[in-house]
Short mmCIF file of all heavy atoms in Angstrom, two decimals:
data_model
loop_
_atom_site.label_atom_id
_atom_site.label_comp_id
_atom_site.label_asym_id
_atom_site.label_seq_id
_atom_site.Cartn_x
_atom_site.Cartn_y
_atom_site.Cartn_z
N MET A 241 -15.44 3.50 -2.89
CA MET A 241 -15.25 4.79 -3.47
C MET A 241 -16.11 5.80 -2.74
O MET A 241 -15.68 6.95 -2.58
CB MET A 241 -15.58 4.78 -4.99
CG MET A 241 -14.63 3.93 -5.83
SD MET A 241 -12.96 4.40 -5.69
CE MET A 241 -12.91 6.03 -6.34
N LYS A 242 -17.36 5.43 -2.32
CA LYS A 242 -18.05 6.39 -1.62
C LYS A 242 -17.47 6.79 -0.31
O LYS A 242 -17.48 7.96 0.06
CB LYS A 242 -19.56 5.67 -1.35
CG LYS A 242 -20.52 6.65 -0.64
CD LYS A 242 -21.82 5.99 -0.45
CE LYS A 242 -22.83 6.95 0.22
NZ LYS A 242 -24.07 6.39 0.50
N ALA A 243 -16.87 5.79 0.45
CA ALA A 243 -16.24 6.22 1.69
C ALA A 243 -15.09 7.10 1.44
O ALA A 243 -14.83 7.97 2.23
CB ALA A 243 -15.74 4.86 2.36
N ARG A 244 -14.29 6.84 0.34
CA ARG A 244 -13.12 7.77 0.05
C ARG A 244 -13.62 9.14 -0.24
O ARG A 244 -13.08 10.11 0.25
CB ARG A 244 -12.38 7.30 -1.11
CG ARG A 244 -11.56 6.12 -0.84
CD ARG A 244 -10.74 5.63 -2.07
NE ARG A 244 -9.86 4.60 -1.83
CZ ARG A 244 -8.48 4.78 -1.70
NH1 ARG A 244 -8.04 6.00 -1.79
NH2 ARG A 244 -7.72 3.81 -1.35
N ARG A 245 -14.75 9.27 -0.96
CA ARG A 245 -15.32 10.60 -1.24
C ARG A 245 -15.75 11.36 -0.05
O ARG A 245 -15.53 12.45 0.26
CB ARG A 245 -16.50 10.48 -2.28
CG ARG A 245 -16.94 11.85 -2.76
CD ARG A 245 -18.13 11.78 -3.79
NE ARG A 245 -19.32 11.39 -3.10
CZ ARG A 245 -19.95 10.22 -3.14
NH1 ARG A 245 -19.51 9.28 -3.98
NH2 ARG A 245 -21.10 10.01 -2.49
N ILE A 246 -16.52 10.60 0.83
CA ILE A 246 -16.90 11.21 2.20
C ILE A 246 -15.71 11.66 3.02
O ILE A 246 -15.75 12.76 3.53
CB ILE A 246 -17.79 10.20 2.93
CG1 ILE A 246 -19.11 10.02 2.15
CG2 ILE A 246 -17.98 10.66 4.27
CD1 ILE A 246 -20.04 8.87 2.63
N ALA A 247 -14.73 10.74 3.10
CA ALA A 247 -13.47 11.06 3.86
C ALA A 247 -12.79 12.44 3.28
O ALA A 247 -12.47 13.33 4.03
CB ALA A 247 -12.55 9.98 3.79
N LYS A 248 -12.73 12.44 1.97
CA LYS A 248 -12.05 13.61 1.38
C LYS A 248 -12.98 14.87 1.53
O LYS A 248 -12.29 15.85 1.83
CB LYS A 248 -12.01 13.28 -0.17
CG LYS A 248 -11.08 14.33 -0.84
CD LYS A 248 -10.90 13.98 -2.35
CE LYS A 248 -10.09 15.01 -3.07
NZ LYS A 248 -9.83 14.69 -4.43
N ASP A 249 -14.25 14.72 1.51
CA ASP A 249 -15.15 15.95 1.79
C ASP A 249 -14.99 16.43 3.15
O ASP A 249 -15.15 17.60 3.34
CB ASP A 249 -16.57 15.56 1.49
CG ASP A 249 -16.90 15.32 0.04
OD1 ASP A 249 -16.08 15.67 -0.86
OD2 ASP A 249 -17.96 14.73 -0.29
N ARG A 250 -14.59 15.50 4.10
CA ARG A 250 -14.44 15.90 5.48
C ARG A 250 -12.99 16.30 5.83
O ARG A 250 -12.68 16.62 6.98
CB ARG A 250 -14.88 14.78 6.32
CG ARG A 250 -16.37 14.44 6.28
CD ARG A 250 -16.78 13.38 7.21
NE ARG A 250 -18.25 13.22 7.02
CZ ARG A 250 -19.01 12.33 7.66
NH1 ARG A 250 -18.32 11.59 8.61
NH2 ARG A 250 -20.30 12.15 7.45
N GLY A 251 -12.18 16.45 4.79
CA GLY A 251 -10.84 16.83 4.92
C GLY A 251 -9.92 15.80 5.56
O GLY A 251 -8.84 16.16 5.96
N LEU A 252 -10.21 14.59 5.50
CA LEU A 252 -9.34 13.49 6.04
C LEU A 252 -8.41 13.15 4.94
O LEU A 252 -8.67 13.17 3.75
CB LEU A 252 -10.21 12.31 6.36
CG LEU A 252 -11.20 12.54 7.49
CD1 LEU A 252 -12.05 11.28 7.65
CD2 LEU A 252 -10.56 12.95 8.79
N VAL A 253 -7.21 12.71 5.32
CA VAL A 253 -6.19 12.25 4.47
C VAL A 253 -6.40 10.77 4.16
O VAL A 253 -6.68 9.96 5.16
CB VAL A 253 -4.75 12.30 5.12
CG1 VAL A 253 -3.69 11.71 4.23
CG2 VAL A 253 -4.41 13.79 5.34
N ILE A 254 -6.42 10.38 2.91
CA ILE A 254 -6.66 9.05 2.52
C ILE A 254 -5.42 8.25 2.21
O ILE A 254 -4.50 8.74 1.42
CB ILE A 254 -7.64 9.07 1.22
CG1 ILE A 254 -8.91 9.67 1.54
CG2 ILE A 254 -7.85 7.60 0.72
CD1 ILE A 254 -9.66 10.03 0.28
N THR A 255 -5.13 7.16 2.78
CA THR A 255 -4.03 6.32 2.55
C THR A 255 -4.47 4.92 2.23
O THR A 255 -5.17 4.28 3.00
CB THR A 255 -3.06 6.25 3.88
OG1 THR A 255 -2.76 7.63 4.17
CG2 THR A 255 -1.83 5.48 3.56
N GLY A 256 -4.00 4.47 1.08
CA GLY A 256 -4.37 3.03 0.67
C GLY A 256 -3.42 2.09 1.27
O GLY A 256 -2.50 2.44 2.06
N ILE A 257 -3.66 0.80 1.01
CA ILE A 257 -2.86 -0.31 1.58
C ILE A 257 -1.31 -0.22 1.25
O ILE A 257 -0.53 -0.39 2.20
CB ILE A 257 -3.42 -1.75 1.28
CG1 ILE A 257 -2.68 -2.83 2.01
CG2 ILE A 257 -3.25 -1.89 -0.31
CD1 ILE A 257 -2.98 -2.83 3.44
N LEU A 258 -0.99 0.28 0.05
CA LEU A 258 0.29 0.39 -0.22
C LEU A 258 1.07 1.51 0.44
O LEU A 258 2.19 1.43 0.85
CB LEU A 258 0.63 0.45 -1.84
CG LEU A 258 0.12 -0.71 -2.53
CD1 LEU A 258 0.45 -0.54 -4.09
CD2 LEU A 258 0.75 -2.09 -2.10
N GLY A 259 0.29 2.57 0.72
CA GLY A 259 0.75 3.68 1.51
C GLY A 259 1.09 3.29 2.96
O GLY A 259 2.04 3.66 3.57
N ILE A 260 0.17 2.45 3.45
CA ILE A 260 0.32 1.94 4.78
C ILE A 260 1.52 1.03 4.88
O ILE A 260 2.35 1.12 5.81
CB ILE A 260 -0.93 1.19 5.26
CG1 ILE A 260 -2.06 2.18 5.42
CG2 ILE A 260 -0.66 0.43 6.55
CD1 ILE A 260 -3.41 1.60 5.63
N LEU A 261 1.70 0.08 3.92
CA LEU A 261 3.01 -0.74 3.79
C LEU A 261 4.19 0.11 3.67
O LEU A 261 5.14 -0.16 4.38
CB LEU A 261 2.83 -1.73 2.70
CG LEU A 261 1.63 -2.70 2.64
CD1 LEU A 261 1.73 -3.68 1.58
CD2 LEU A 261 1.68 -3.53 4.02
N ASP A 262 4.15 1.11 3.00
CA ASP A 262 5.29 2.04 2.84
C ASP A 262 5.70 2.67 4.17
O ASP A 262 6.78 2.59 4.57
CB ASP A 262 4.92 3.20 1.83
CG ASP A 262 6.10 4.22 1.60
OD1 ASP A 262 7.28 3.80 1.68
OD2 ASP A 262 5.81 5.33 1.30
N GLN A 263 4.71 3.17 4.97
CA GLN A 263 4.95 3.70 6.24
C GLN A 263 5.44 2.64 7.25
O GLN A 263 6.31 2.88 8.00
CB GLN A 263 3.66 4.37 6.74
CG GLN A 263 3.28 5.60 6.05
CD GLN A 263 1.91 6.17 6.49
OE1 GLN A 263 1.30 5.67 7.46
NE2 GLN A 263 1.39 7.14 5.73
N ALA A 264 4.78 1.52 7.20
CA ALA A 264 5.22 0.39 8.14
C ALA A 264 6.62 0.00 7.92
O ALA A 264 7.40 -0.33 8.77
CB ALA A 264 4.23 -0.72 8.04
N THR A 265 7.05 -0.02 6.59
CA THR A 265 8.46 -0.41 6.23
C THR A 265 9.35 0.65 6.71
O THR A 265 10.49 0.29 7.30
CB THR A 265 8.53 -0.64 4.75
OG1 THR A 265 7.62 -1.60 4.33
CG2 THR A 265 9.94 -1.07 4.35
N THR A 266 9.04 1.88 6.50
CA THR A 266 9.85 2.98 7.00
C THR A 266 10.07 2.91 8.53
O THR A 266 11.13 3.17 8.99
CB THR A 266 9.28 4.34 6.68
OG1 THR A 266 9.18 4.48 5.18
CG2 THR A 266 10.03 5.54 7.07
N MET A 267 9.03 2.46 9.26
CA MET A 267 9.08 2.37 10.69
C MET A 267 9.68 1.03 11.12
O MET A 267 9.81 0.74 12.32
CB MET A 267 7.69 2.56 11.24
CG MET A 267 7.10 3.96 11.05
SD MET A 267 5.33 4.03 11.49
CE MET A 267 5.45 3.89 13.19
N LYS A 268 10.11 0.27 10.20
CA LYS A 268 10.81 -1.04 10.38
C LYS A 268 9.75 -1.98 11.13
O LYS A 268 10.20 -2.80 12.06
CB LYS A 268 12.06 -0.94 11.11
CG LYS A 268 13.09 -0.12 10.34
CD LYS A 268 14.47 -0.05 11.00
CE LYS A 268 15.41 0.83 10.44
NZ LYS A 268 15.57 0.94 8.99
N LEU A 269 8.53 -1.97 10.87
CA LEU A 269 7.52 -2.77 11.48
C LEU A 269 7.23 -4.12 10.67
O LEU A 269 6.75 -5.02 11.20
CB LEU A 269 6.20 -2.03 11.67
CG LEU A 269 6.35 -0.77 12.53
CD1 LEU A 269 4.92 -0.05 12.61
CD2 LEU A 269 6.63 -1.16 13.91
N ILE A 270 7.55 -4.05 9.40
CA ILE A 270 7.34 -5.24 8.60
C ILE A 270 8.55 -5.52 7.64
O ILE A 270 9.37 -4.65 7.39
CB ILE A 270 5.94 -5.02 7.67
CG1 ILE A 270 6.26 -3.84 6.63
CG2 ILE A 270 4.89 -4.84 8.58
CD1 ILE A 270 5.19 -3.73 5.60
N ASN A 271 8.49 -6.75 7.12
CA ASN A 271 9.37 -7.22 6.08
C ASN A 271 8.65 -6.96 4.77
O ASN A 271 7.69 -7.76 4.50
CB ASN A 271 9.84 -8.67 6.34
CG ASN A 271 10.74 -9.12 5.28
OD1 ASN A 271 10.57 -8.94 4.09
ND2 ASN A 271 11.72 -9.92 5.73
N LEU A 272 8.88 -5.98 4.03
CA LEU A 272 8.16 -5.55 2.90
C LEU A 272 8.19 -6.70 1.79
O LEU A 272 7.01 -6.96 1.28
CB LEU A 272 8.65 -4.30 2.23
CG LEU A 272 7.86 -3.75 1.12
CD1 LEU A 272 6.47 -3.47 1.54
CD2 LEU A 272 8.55 -2.54 0.50
N PRO A 273 9.20 -7.33 1.39
CA PRO A 273 9.19 -8.36 0.34
C PRO A 273 8.20 -9.49 0.76
O PRO A 273 7.38 -9.98 -0.03
CB PRO A 273 10.62 -8.89 0.21
CG PRO A 273 11.43 -7.70 0.65
CD PRO A 273 10.67 -7.09 1.75
N VAL A 274 8.27 -9.89 2.07
CA VAL A 274 7.39 -11.00 2.48
C VAL A 274 5.96 -10.55 2.48
O VAL A 274 5.03 -11.23 2.12
CB VAL A 274 7.83 -11.44 3.90
CG1 VAL A 274 6.85 -12.44 4.48
CG2 VAL A 274 9.20 -12.15 3.79
N THR A 275 5.66 -9.40 2.98
CA THR A 275 4.38 -8.75 3.00
C THR A 275 3.79 -8.63 1.62
O THR A 275 2.62 -8.95 1.47
CB THR A 275 4.38 -7.37 3.80
OG1 THR A 275 4.99 -7.67 5.14
CG2 THR A 275 2.95 -6.91 3.92
N ILE A 276 4.52 -8.20 0.66
CA ILE A 276 4.06 -8.12 -0.65
C ILE A 276 3.66 -9.43 -1.24
O ILE A 276 2.66 -9.58 -1.88
CB ILE A 276 5.06 -7.24 -1.62
CG1 ILE A 276 4.99 -5.81 -1.16
CG2 ILE A 276 4.72 -7.52 -3.02
CD1 ILE A 276 5.96 -4.92 -1.94
N GLN A 277 4.54 -10.38 -1.00
CA GLN A 277 4.28 -11.77 -1.52
C GLN A 277 3.00 -12.29 -0.88
O GLN A 277 2.20 -12.81 -1.58
CB GLN A 277 5.46 -12.68 -1.20
CG GLN A 277 5.16 -14.03 -1.88
CD GLN A 277 5.04 -13.87 -3.33
OE1 GLN A 277 5.82 -13.24 -4.12
NE2 GLN A 277 3.97 -14.52 -3.94
N ASN A 278 2.80 -12.07 0.39
CA ASN A 278 1.54 -12.45 1.13
C ASN A 278 0.39 -11.73 0.52
O ASN A 278 -0.81 -12.36 0.29
CB ASN A 278 1.65 -12.25 2.53
CG ASN A 278 2.54 -13.28 3.30
OD1 ASN A 278 2.91 -14.26 2.75
ND2 ASN A 278 3.07 -12.78 4.38
N LEU A 279 0.48 -10.49 0.24
CA LEU A 279 -0.59 -9.70 -0.38
C LEU A 279 -0.88 -10.15 -1.75
O LEU A 279 -2.12 -10.21 -2.09
CB LEU A 279 -0.13 -8.23 -0.42
CG LEU A 279 -1.21 -7.26 -0.72
CD1 LEU A 279 -2.37 -7.31 0.26
CD2 LEU A 279 -0.69 -5.79 -0.66
N LYS A 280 0.08 -10.55 -2.53
CA LYS A 280 -0.21 -11.07 -3.86
C LYS A 280 -1.01 -12.43 -3.83
O LYS A 280 -1.57 -12.74 -4.79
CB LYS A 280 1.10 -11.26 -4.66
CG LYS A 280 1.76 -9.97 -5.10
CD LYS A 280 3.01 -10.31 -5.94
CE LYS A 280 3.58 -8.97 -6.60
NZ LYS A 280 4.70 -9.35 -7.41
N ASN A 281 -0.94 -13.14 -2.70
CA ASN A 281 -1.66 -14.46 -2.55
C ASN A 281 -3.14 -14.16 -2.14
O ASN A 281 -3.78 -15.16 -1.88
CB ASN A 281 -0.94 -15.29 -1.54
CG ASN A 281 0.37 -15.74 -2.07
OD1 ASN A 281 0.66 -15.85 -3.36
ND2 ASN A 281 1.33 -15.98 -1.15
N THR A 282 -3.55 -12.95 -2.17
CA THR A 282 -4.91 -12.61 -1.78
C THR A 282 -5.60 -12.16 -3.07
O THR A 282 -4.96 -12.21 -4.14
CB THR A 282 -5.07 -11.49 -0.70
OG1 THR A 282 -4.64 -10.24 -1.26
CG2 THR A 282 -4.20 -11.91 0.52
N SER A 283 -6.83 -11.60 -2.96
CA SER A 283 -7.66 -11.08 -4.05
C SER A 283 -7.18 -9.58 -4.32
O SER A 283 -7.61 -9.00 -5.26
CB SER A 283 -9.09 -11.14 -3.80
OG SER A 283 -9.43 -10.40 -2.64
N PHE A 284 -6.26 -9.05 -3.53
CA PHE A 284 -5.83 -7.63 -3.70
C PHE A 284 -5.09 -7.59 -5.03
O PHE A 284 -4.27 -8.53 -5.27
CB PHE A 284 -4.98 -7.21 -2.58
CG PHE A 284 -4.33 -5.77 -2.74
CD1 PHE A 284 -5.19 -4.75 -2.33
CD2 PHE A 284 -3.09 -5.64 -3.26
CE1 PHE A 284 -4.62 -3.46 -2.52
CE2 PHE A 284 -2.62 -4.28 -3.48
CZ PHE A 284 -3.33 -3.22 -3.15
N TRP A 285 -5.29 -6.50 -5.79
CA TRP A 285 -4.55 -6.39 -7.05
C TRP A 285 -3.84 -5.02 -7.13
O TRP A 285 -4.50 -3.98 -6.83
CB TRP A 285 -5.45 -6.51 -8.30
CG TRP A 285 -4.60 -6.51 -9.56
CD1 TRP A 285 -4.04 -7.56 -10.13
CD2 TRP A 285 -4.19 -5.37 -10.30
NE1 TRP A 285 -3.38 -7.19 -11.25
CE2 TRP A 285 -3.42 -5.83 -11.39
CE3 TRP A 285 -4.52 -3.98 -10.20
CZ2 TRP A 285 -2.92 -4.98 -12.30
CZ3 TRP A 285 -3.93 -3.19 -11.16
CH2 TRP A 285 -3.16 -3.63 -12.24
N ALA A 286 -2.60 -4.99 -7.51
CA ALA A 286 -1.86 -3.76 -7.91
C ALA A 286 -0.91 -4.26 -9.06
O ALA A 286 -0.52 -5.41 -9.05
CB ALA A 286 -1.17 -3.22 -6.74
N SER A 287 -0.47 -3.30 -9.81
CA SER A 287 0.37 -3.72 -10.89
C SER A 287 1.71 -4.12 -10.25
O SER A 287 2.17 -3.68 -9.33
CB SER A 287 0.63 -2.57 -11.90
OG SER A 287 1.39 -1.45 -11.26
N ASP A 288 2.41 -5.01 -11.03
CA ASP A 288 3.79 -5.48 -10.65
C ASP A 288 4.68 -4.32 -10.57
O ASP A 288 5.54 -4.25 -9.73
CB ASP A 288 4.31 -6.52 -11.62
CG ASP A 288 3.54 -7.83 -11.42
OD1 ASP A 288 3.08 -8.12 -10.30
OD2 ASP A 288 3.58 -8.68 -12.34
N SER A 289 4.59 -3.26 -11.53
CA SER A 289 5.42 -2.15 -11.57
C SER A 289 5.27 -1.29 -10.25
O SER A 289 6.17 -0.77 -9.66
CB SER A 289 5.28 -1.21 -12.78
OG SER A 289 3.94 -0.76 -12.80
N LEU A 290 4.03 -1.24 -9.72
CA LEU A 290 3.76 -0.45 -8.50
C LEU A 290 4.42 -1.17 -7.35
O LEU A 290 5.08 -0.55 -6.50
CB LEU A 290 2.33 -0.30 -8.35
CG LEU A 290 1.89 0.66 -7.25
CD1 LEU A 290 2.44 1.97 -7.52
CD2 LEU A 290 0.34 0.78 -7.26
N PHE A 291 4.33 -2.52 -7.22
CA PHE A 291 4.96 -3.29 -6.23
C PHE A 291 6.48 -3.10 -6.27
O PHE A 291 7.16 -2.84 -5.33
CB PHE A 291 4.63 -4.70 -6.35
CG PHE A 291 3.28 -5.17 -5.74
CD1 PHE A 291 2.45 -5.81 -6.55
CD2 PHE A 291 2.85 -4.79 -4.51
CE1 PHE A 291 1.17 -6.18 -6.06
CE2 PHE A 291 1.65 -5.13 -3.93
CZ PHE A 291 0.79 -5.81 -4.79
N GLN A 292 7.03 -3.12 -7.53
CA GLN A 292 8.41 -3.11 -7.71
C GLN A 292 8.97 -1.66 -7.37
O GLN A 292 10.03 -1.57 -6.70
CB GLN A 292 8.80 -3.22 -9.29
CG GLN A 292 10.24 -3.39 -9.47
CD GLN A 292 10.84 -4.47 -8.67
OE1 GLN A 292 10.36 -5.56 -8.53
NE2 GLN A 292 12.09 -4.30 -8.11
N LYS A 293 8.21 -0.60 -7.69
CA LYS A 293 8.67 0.78 -7.19
C LYS A 293 8.76 0.88 -5.71
O LYS A 293 9.67 1.45 -5.13
CB LYS A 293 7.70 1.81 -7.78
CG LYS A 293 7.81 2.03 -9.17
CD LYS A 293 6.83 3.08 -9.70
CE LYS A 293 6.89 3.20 -11.22
NZ LYS A 293 5.88 4.15 -11.70
N LEU A 294 7.80 0.26 -4.97
CA LEU A 294 7.80 0.28 -3.61
C LEU A 294 8.99 -0.53 -3.00
O LEU A 294 9.53 -0.07 -2.07
CB LEU A 294 6.48 -0.33 -3.03
CG LEU A 294 6.20 -0.20 -1.44
CD1 LEU A 294 6.22 1.23 -1.00
CD2 LEU A 294 4.86 -0.78 -1.15
N LEU A 295 9.22 -1.70 -3.61
CA LEU A 295 10.41 -2.49 -3.16
C LEU A 295 11.67 -1.72 -3.40
O LEU A 295 12.57 -1.72 -2.55
CB LEU A 295 10.37 -3.77 -3.90
CG LEU A 295 9.43 -4.83 -3.42
CD1 LEU A 295 9.25 -5.90 -4.42
CD2 LEU A 295 9.62 -5.32 -2.07
N GLU A 296 11.87 -1.02 -4.52
CA GLU A 296 13.02 -0.28 -4.87
C GLU A 296 13.24 0.91 -3.99
O GLU A 296 14.38 1.20 -3.54
CB GLU A 296 13.01 0.19 -6.34
CG GLU A 296 13.12 -0.92 -7.39
CD GLU A 296 12.87 -0.48 -8.81
OE1 GLU A 296 12.59 0.66 -8.95
OE2 GLU A 296 12.96 -1.41 -9.65
N LYS A 297 12.14 1.44 -3.55
CA LYS A 297 12.21 2.63 -2.64
C LYS A 297 12.84 2.19 -1.24
O LYS A 297 13.55 2.98 -0.62
CB LYS A 297 10.87 3.25 -2.34
CG LYS A 297 10.82 4.33 -1.37
CD LYS A 297 9.40 4.84 -1.14
CE LYS A 297 9.42 5.97 -0.13
NZ LYS A 297 8.05 6.44 0.20
N HIS A 298 12.69 0.96 -0.97
CA HIS A 298 13.05 0.49 0.44
C HIS A 298 14.30 -0.51 0.32
O HIS A 298 14.62 -1.15 1.27
CB HIS A 298 11.93 -0.10 1.19
CG HIS A 298 10.93 0.90 1.62
ND1 HIS A 298 11.04 1.72 2.68
CD2 HIS A 298 9.77 1.14 1.06
CE1 HIS A 298 10.03 2.51 2.76
NE2 HIS A 298 9.18 2.21 1.88
N SER A 299 14.92 -0.42 -0.82
CA SER A 299 16.09 -1.42 -1.00
C SER A 299 17.43 -0.74 -0.64
O SER A 299 17.48 0.39 -0.58
CB SER A 299 16.12 -2.03 -2.32
OG SER A 299 16.27 -1.05 -3.30
#
C-alpha cells in the first residue's frame, strides 16, 4: 500500500495484476482462462465474481 501511495503521489498510473491480465488478453498475449486458473493456484486472491467479469469481458 505504501508503494501505491508513493506512485500515486508521483502521478503514476497504478495497474494491478488483473488489469495487466486484461491488457495482455486484449493484446492476445495470454490465454485468459488458463492464466486465471494458474493464478487461483497461488496465494493471490480475488473474488470469483471479479474473475468472472474479466472472463466475460473477453468471451
Side-chain angles (χ1 to χ4, degrees):
M241 292 306 292
K242 183 178 179 181
R244 284 180 175 259
R245 188 180 73 248
I246 291 169
K248 190 174 180 181
D249 290 345
R250 293 182 181 182
L252 299 174
V253 176
I254 300 168
T255 302
I257 186 68
L258 296 182
I260 292 169
L261 294 181
D262 182 31
Q263 291 174 7
T265 303
T266 298
M267 297 171 68
K268 300 184 186 320
L269 298 174
I270 63 169
N271 178 317
L272 186 61
V274 170
T275 303
I276 286 178
Q277 187 56 52
N278 289 338
L279 190 58
K280 285 182 173 184
N281 292 332
T282 71
S283 61
F284 179 84
W285 186 89
S287 69
D288 286 335
S289 64
L290 194 54
F291 283 127
Q292 190 60 38
K293 286 178 186 177
L294 187 57
L295 287 167
E296 288 172 1
K297 178 179 179 183
H298 292 283
S299 62

